[in-house]
C-alpha cells in the first residue's frame, strides 16, 4: 500500500468538513495525563468557534481536567473510499456562564445536540451540564488518498 | 443575559429543570432550537 502526498485543505473545504459532521473527539491534558472524549458540537465558521456541552460530576475525572481553562484539541475526521480527511482545532476551552447566554448561543448549542455521545444513566435534571466553547487559535484540514 | 432586550419570560426546561430569565428573542430561539442546556425540545408551556 502506497501513500499519496498529504494535502493541506483550504479554509472553505476545512469548514465544509466541520459542517458535514457534528461529532468529534476532544482531548485535554493535565501534566502528563491525557483525557480524550467523544463530543457533539455546533460550529460557527465566521468566529472559528465550536460550541459543546459537557456533563460531569463534582468528583469526576472530567471535572479535574476542566478545572481551569485548559487548552484543548478537537479532531474531526472522515473517510470516503480511499480518501481520508481530518480537521484539527486547538485553542482554549472556555466555560459559557448561564448569565452570558445569548440568542447566538442558543442557536449554536442547538446544533450540538445530536447525537449525544454522553452515556447518561441518570435523568437530565440530576446531571451537571456545563456549556463550553472552543475558540480555535489554530485550525487545519488535511486530506490524503491511499493507493491500494 | 447577553441580549439587548429586557427580560420578559422565565424559562424552565421540562427535562433538565434549568431555569433562565430570557427576552423575546431568546424565547423564540429556545422554541426553535431546544433547551440550550440539555437540548430537549421546548414548547410554549415552558415559559411563564
Amino acid at each position: 500500500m502506497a501513500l499519496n502526498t498529504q494535502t493541506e485543505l483550504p479554509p472553505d473545504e476545512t469548514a465544509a468538513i466541520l459542517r458535514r459532521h457534528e461529532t468529534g473527539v476532544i482531548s485535554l491534558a493535565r501534566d502528563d495525563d491525557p483525557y480524550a472524549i467523544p463530543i457533539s458540537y455546533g460550529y460557527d465558521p465566521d468566529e472559528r468557534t465550536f460550541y459543546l456541552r459537557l456533563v460531569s460530576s463534582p468528583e469526576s475525572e472530567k471535572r479535574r481536567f476542566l478545572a481551569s481553562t485548559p487548552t484543548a484539541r478537537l479532531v474531526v475526521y472522515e473517510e470516503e473510499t480511499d480518501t481520508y480527511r481530518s480537521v484539527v482545532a486547538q485553542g482554549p476551552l472556555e466555560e459559557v456562564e448561564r448569565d452570558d447566554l445569548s440568542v447566538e448561543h442558543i442557536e449554536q448549542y442547538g446544533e450540538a445536540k445530536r447525537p449525544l455521545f454522553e452515556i447518561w444513566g441518570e435523568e437530565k435534571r440530576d446531571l451537571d451540564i456545563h456549556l463550553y466553547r472552543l475558540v480555535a487559535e489554530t485550525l487545519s484540514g488535511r486530506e490524503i488518498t491511499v493507493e491500494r | 443575559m447577553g441580549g439587548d432586550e429586557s427580560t420578559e419570560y422565565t424559562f424552565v426546561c421540562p427535562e433538565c429543570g434549568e431555569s433562565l430569565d430570557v427576552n423575546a428573542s431568546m424565547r423564540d430561539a429556545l422554541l426553535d432550537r431546544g433547551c440550550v442546556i440539555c437540548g430537549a425540545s421546548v414548547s410554549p408551556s415552558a415559559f411563564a
Side-chain angles (χ1 to χ4, degrees), chain A residues 53 98-103 105-111 113 116 120 123-125 129 131, chain B residues 1-3 13-18 20 25-26 29-30 33-40:
Chain A
R53 54 174 69 87
R98 303 294 204 256
D99 288 344
D100 295 331
L101 288 173
S102 65
V103 170
H105 287 124
I106 295 169
E107 292 173 344
Q108 290 296 338
Y109 284 105
E111 300 295 321
K113 64 182 179 183
L116 286 173
W120 290 354
E123 294 292 324
K124 281 185 178 176
R125 61 183 63 246
I129 304 171
L131 305 179
Chain B
M1 288 301 142
C13 176
E15 288 202 22
C16 71
E18 184 74 30
L20 300 170
S25 298
M26 296 173 76
L30 287 164
R33 301 300 184 101
C35 175
V36 66
I37 305 300
C38 77

Side-chain angles (χ1 to χ4, degrees), chain A residues 78-89:
Chain A
E78 66 181 17
E79 56 181 277
E80 180 182 354
T81 316
D82 294 333
T83 299
Y84 299 81
R85 301 181 190 90
S86 64
V87 177
V88 178

Side-chain angles (χ1 to χ4, degrees), chain A residues 50-146:
Chain A
F50 297 83
Y51 295 86
L52 52 144
R53 54 174 69 87
L54 298 174
V55 181
S56 61
S57 64
E59 304 79 21
S60 71
E61 183 182 27
K62 187 187 300 178
R63 180 65 63 85
R64 289 193 292 109
F65 281 91
L66 293 169
S68 57
T69 302
T71 296
R73 182 170 288 206
L74 176 65
V75 177
V76 177
Y77 69 92
E78 66 181 17
E79 56 181 277
E80 180 182 354
T81 316
D82 294 333
T83 299
Y84 299 81
R85 301 181 190 90
S86 64
V87 177
V88 178
Q90 181 171 314
L93 186 65
E94 305 166 343
E95 181 164 4
V96 177
E97 301 294 341
R98 303 294 204 256
D99 288 344
D100 295 331
L101 288 173
S102 65
V103 170
E104 289 72 24
H105 287 124
I106 295 169
E107 292 173 344
Q108 290 296 338
Y109 284 105
E111 300 295 321
K113 64 182 179 183
R114 287 180 297 272
L116 286 173
F117 266 127
E118 302 281 357
I119 307 301
W120 290 354
E122 304 164 80
E123 294 292 324
K124 281 185 178 176
R125 61 183 63 246
D126 295 328
L127 297 171
D128 193 9
I129 304 171
H130 291 257
L131 305 179
Y132 290 87
R133 66 176 193 159
L134 190 164
V135 181
E137 293 178 343
T138 64
L139 182 68
S140 63
R142 295 183 184 279
E143 176 182 287
I144 191 166
T145 298
V146 177

Side-chain angles (χ1 to χ4, degrees), chain B residues 7-31:
Chain B
T7 296
E8 298 174 39
Y9 304 93
T10 297
F11 164 67
V12 179
C13 176
E15 288 202 22
C16 71
E18 184 74 30
S19 177
L20 300 170
D21 292 328
V22 300
N23 59 36
S25 298
M26 296 173 76
R27 177 183 185 272
D28 292 343
L30 287 164
L31 288 169

